[in-house]
Amino acid sequence: MLDLWYKSAVIYCVDVEIFMDGNGDGIGDFEGLSGRIDYLAGLGINCIWLMPFYPTPNRDNGYDVTDYYSVDPRLGTLGDFVEFMRKAANHGIRVIVDLVINHTSTEHPWFKAACQDKNSKYHDYYVWSEEKPADAEEGIIFPGYQESTWTYSEEAGAYYFHRFYEHQADLNIGNPQLREELYKIMGFWLELGVSGFRVDAAPFLIELKGIEHTADEEDPYQYLGDIREFLSWRRGDAIILAEANVSLDKLPKYFGDGDRMQMLFGFIVNQQLMLSLARESAAPLIKGLKALPQIPNTGQWAQFVRNHDELSLDKLSESEQTEILSAFDQNKEDVWIYDRGLRRRFPPLVDGDPRRMRLAYSLMFSLPGTPVLLSGEEIGMGDDLSQKQREAIRTPMQWSSEPNGGFSTAASDQLIRPVIDEGQYGYTELNVLSQRRDPDSLLNWMERLIRMRKECSEFGWGQWEIIETDNPSVFAHRCDWQGKTVVAVHNLAKDPCSVTLPLSQEGDRSTHWLDLLADQRYQSIRQSESPIELEGYGYRWLRISHSKEPE
Ligand code: GLC
Ligand code: CA
């Protein structure tokens, strides 16, 4: 049997600079992170995704790299990185790292050399035009904060292409020497023990820009296959988790026949999940799941509630977007960004209602795929809308009620970003330490959720199927794997209900339900055809058991 570890993974995303400051300078670092591996192991996660930690002018949270072979000195040294890797491995935690190779910072030595000398081999690492292309105002990723996709370099005497901010010059993947260099970068981190990469901005990485004349349309996708081939030769069990928020018809190309990316984030499902939660109706989520293409056996969806970016609703209609804003009672002016999403964490959308938060995470953890948590979600952290753009959701981790939330011993005005210090999400109210002491806290609940998820491999590996119910607010599905079945039932609405699931094929007398996880203690269900009770926003994970019931 294939040992596809990522199908049994619970991934936890860490931005080192805001996680834990080990040396008291106000910036999170590898020393601090290493000191918290025990905490993460206790939570039960088994794979860390590290956001960019490379040297950077940090104008886009590290997604603007100036050296792919090193660690940002503010965060530590390569030595600290290796210590961290060792500690993670000792706890059975794998590490994947962000691979930001669609673009470099304009301060990267390659870009500098490219500007200085047109004959330098680095010039062709980037995408140039003598004239400003007519489409320079199209395809802008950060509307409101980015004016163009082509910017003039005085030094080079030409325009360079940048899909993102103007300080992030796009690389020309049509250049074979650059491709070699990118393999070298992957090889470097694989040697240091990483289990794979989160490939940033995958659709743009394979854009035809700059290689229109040299390649046919299939070639860019084939490049994903080349990357995968390289990866698998170097390390057989390494994976690529691609960030590709693309339309449904394009998704299969990223998986290929199982010879390209192993994992893709479930952006479409995420957006439909938000609509379902807002509407208190199962229909959008069902629609989103049913629309997904069949994926290869080795393929997997990465499910999430929130990531470190805006909550993108770009695949929904304008009226659906408006519906979400009003259902969650959001003031568009404060929260809406880039014409497509919300710069908020999830708890503030549901006013910190513990039932609705647990409902959302119970759903996410049971959807077909692998769950991905953003650090801070396990304690229900909030956001700080006074911070600019997406930084609102990138505040330091709240460890305790000590100054700076225990994140750092530096003076508060020295912190990389202010800690949330007021209201219900302030660190004195909401932090790891106090939640550890409270058996009913979100943190302890999340730990139990993760434990149960790991015991239900059906969700990560199995065949899934939507179960139709007679209640439009109830989302029910089953996952079957190696002769075992789990069923999850979620009530998206605030009123209690009762549903009967049509599982006739299991309807023989010896079948009954085992309760695995639920929002409260329910009466156990003796027979599979009996009605299932659910509280408002309630959920139940059940296993179909064919064994004889204990007397
Ligand atoms: C990805 C990252 C985002 C970043 C962008 C440019 O979308 O998630 O944070 O700004 O790429 O690298
Ligand atoms: Ca530090």
Side-chain angles (χ1 to χ4, degrees):
M1 193 184 78
L2 286 173
D3 167 28
L4 308 176
W5 63 268
Y6 51 94
K7 293 201 172 191
S8 307
V10 179
I11 302 178
Y12 185 91
C13 169
V14 174
D15 186 353
V16 180
E17 79 177 3
I18 53 167
F19 194 64
M20 181 64 206
D21 176 13
N23 66 355
D25 67 353
I27 304 171
D29 45 42
F30 276 102
E31 190 190 326
L33 171 57
S34 292
R36 293 295 146 116
I37 300 251
D38 305 304
Y39 163 76
L40 294 176
L43 182 61
I45 61 98
N46 50 18
C47 178
I48 294 174
W49 151 27
L50 285 183
M51 282 169 57
F53 53 85
Y54 315 103
T56 172
N58 216 16
R59 295 172 69 190
D60 181 20
N61 207 39
Y63 285 94
D64 45 337
V65 176
T66 53
D67 180 1
Y68 290 106
Y69 297 103
S70 191
V71 169
D72 183 344
R74 298 172 314 131
L75 313 184
T77 62
L78 265 182
D80 296 327
F81 176 84
V82 170
E83 286 301 301
F84 154 73
M85 291 297 294
R86 171 103 194 124
K87 203 153 182 210
N90 281 344
H91 281 88
I93 296 176
R94 291 175 181 265
V95 177
I96 62 174
V97 299
D98 235 298
L99 186 67
V100 192
I101 51 173
N102 171 65
H103 48 264
T104 70
S105 161
T106 50
E107 290 176 37
H108 195 291
W110 298 345
F111 189 72
K112 288 188 179 164
C115 289
Q116 276 157 16
D117 180 2
K118 278 195 175 163
N119 298 316
S120 138
K121 74 165 187 179
Y122 297 112
H123 190 77
D124 191 49
Y125 273 29
Y126 296 89
V127 183
W128 300 97
S129 173
E130 298 287 319
E131 305 292 326
K132 188 168 192 170
D135 64 358
E137 265 78 61
E138 286 163 29
I140 285 173
I141 299 284
F142 302 122
Y145 301 88
Q146 175 194 355
E147 253 136 52
S148 171
T149 53
W150 290 90
T151 294
Y152 191 68
S153 156
E154 292 284 344
E155 208 178 10
Y159 290 84
Y160 63 91
F161 178 67
H162 53 91
R163 180 53 73 194
F164 297 93
Y165 294 112
E166 73 173 66
H167 59 79
Q168 292 165 315
D170 270 46
L171 287 164
N172 169 21
I173 61 132
N175 180 307
Q177 273 178 306
L178 172 70
R179 287 194 183 191
E180 284 306 311
E181 186 78 44
L182 299 180
Y183 291 141
K184 229 183 351 186
I185 294 164
M186 291 169 64
F188 179 83
W189 295 104
L190 289 169
E191 286 299 312
L192 292 183
V194 306
S195 291
F197 302 93
R198 178 243 185 210
V199 170
D200 183 58
F204 305 113
L205 173 65
I206 56 167
E207 230 173 4
L208 281 172
K209 220 43 150 201
I211 54 170
E212 289 100 334
H213 311 299
T214 55
D216 65 39
E217 217 185 306
E218 263 308 300
D219 181 70
Y221 285 104
Q222 190 38 52
Y223 181 47
L224 298 177
D226 295 349
I227 291 182
R228 166 64 188 284
E229 194 179 42
F230 173 84
L231 182 83
S232 299
W233 274 109
R234 284 292 168 93
R235 182 169 171 169
D237 66 347
I239 58 141
I240 287 185
L241 163 56
E243 183 209 20
N245 181 9
V246 295
S247 55
L248 281 165
D249 56 312
K250 297 216 174 75
L251 289 168
K253 285 187 182 276
Y254 288 82
F255 287 110
D257 297 326
D259 56 352
R260 293 181 185 167
M261 320 279 88
Q262 290 97 332
M263 292 183 90
L264 251 65
F265 284 105
F267 280 102
I268 289 177
V269 167
N270 175 263
Q271 300 190 23
Q272 298 294 340
L273 170 67
M274 288 301 151
L275 190 56
S276 266
L277 291 168
R279 262 189 204 164
E280 308 203 345
S281 149
L285 182 57
I286 292 175
K287 180 177 139 200
L289 285 166
K290 284 194 169 163
L292 291 180
Q294 272 289 337
I295 61 175
N297 274 343
T298 51
Q300 180 80 333
W301 299 107
Q303 307 290 10
F304 59 99
V305 171
R306 285 294 285 116
N307 63 19
H308 62 287
D309 289 327
E310 73 284 359
L311 169 53
S312 181
L313 303 176
D314 67 331
K315 302 283 183 290
L316 301 180
S317 69
E318 221 179 298
S319 70
E320 290 167 335
Q321 295 172 347
T322 310
E323 204 184 323
I324 289 181
L325 280 164
S326 69
F328 292 141
D329 203 14
Q330 296 297 302
N331 183 357
K332 192 166 181 185
E333 246 154 63
D334 299 335
V335 303
W336 193 248
I337 193 165
Y338 310 142
D339 296 341
R340 62 169 177 262
L342 294 150
R343 52 185 207 110
R344 296 227 79 167
R345 282 204 183 237
F346 183 70
L349 295 180
V350 291
D351 213 9
D353 183 339
R355 295 171 308 161
R356 299 185 78 182
M357 279 155 45
R358 291 170 198 210
L359 171 73
Y361 288 102
S362 169
L363 266 168
M364 188 269 271
F365 269 74
S366 59
L367 289 177
T370 292
V372 184
L373 279 175
L374 172 65
S375 84
E377 280 191 297
E378 73 271 34
I379 53 170
M381 270 176 61
D383 45 40
D384 176 357
L385 293 175
S386 72
Q387 296 297 308
K388 61 177 198 300
Q389 300 181 50
R390 293 169 294 179
E391 290 182 8
I393 59 160
R394 297 171 182 171
T395 60
M397 182 72 180
Q398 296 170 195
W399 293 104
S400 70
S401 58
E402 284 172 46
N404 303 327
F407 159 70
S408 171
T409 54
S412 294
D413 59 0
Q414 299 296 304
L415 300 189
I416 171 90
R417 218 163 283 135
V419 184
I420 297 178
D421 61 2
E422 35 183 59
Q424 67 187 112
Y425 302 103
Y427 69 81
T428 49
E429 297 296 309
L430 190 151
N431 62 65
V432 170
L433 197 62
S434 64
Q435 291 201 18
R436 292 188 115 162
R437 294 180 181 140
D438 171 6
D440 295 325
S441 67
L442 185 65
L443 177 63
N444 280 313
W445 176 84
M446 193 73 81
E447 199 180 306
R448 295 193 292 272
L449 175 75
I450 292 174
R451 176 197 290 254
M452 189 49 79
R453 172 62 178 70
K454 284 158 88 184
E455 289 176 22
C456 296
S457 36
E458 294 95 329
F459 288 132
W461 290 77
Q463 285 288 335
W464 57 274
E465 201 184 309
I466 310 272
I467 307 170
E468 308 286 340
T469 77
D470 46 7
N471 184 331
S473 297
V474 172
F475 174 77
H477 72 297
R478 62 183 286 166
C479 295
D480 296 273
W481 173 244
Q482 295 187 330
K484 295 205 294 183
T485 303
V486 286
V487 171
V489 196
H490 290 84
N491 177 11
L492 300 170
K494 59 179 167 311
D495 298 322
C497 70
S498 153
V499 284
T500 313
L501 302 184
L503 289 167
S504 49
Q505 64 270 44
E506 263 88 26
D508 65 290
R509 299 227 159 223
S510 62
T511 301
H512 62 279
W513 300 104
L514 289 178
D515 266 289
L516 302 174
L517 187 87
D519 58 302
Q520 62 165 54
R521 207 174 256 281
Y522 289 101
Q523 216 173 18
S524 57
I525 308 163
R526 298 264 151 190
Q527 281 177 344
S528 63
E529 60 269 31
S530 314
I532 296 177
E533 307 291 332
L534 283 164
E535 260 310 311
Y537 303 125
Y539 55 85
R540 296 175 79 166
W541 293 11
L542 303 149
R543 180 169 269 130
I544 294 180
S545 172
H546 299 285
S547 62
K548 207 169 164 327
E549 237 186 307
E551 292 304 312

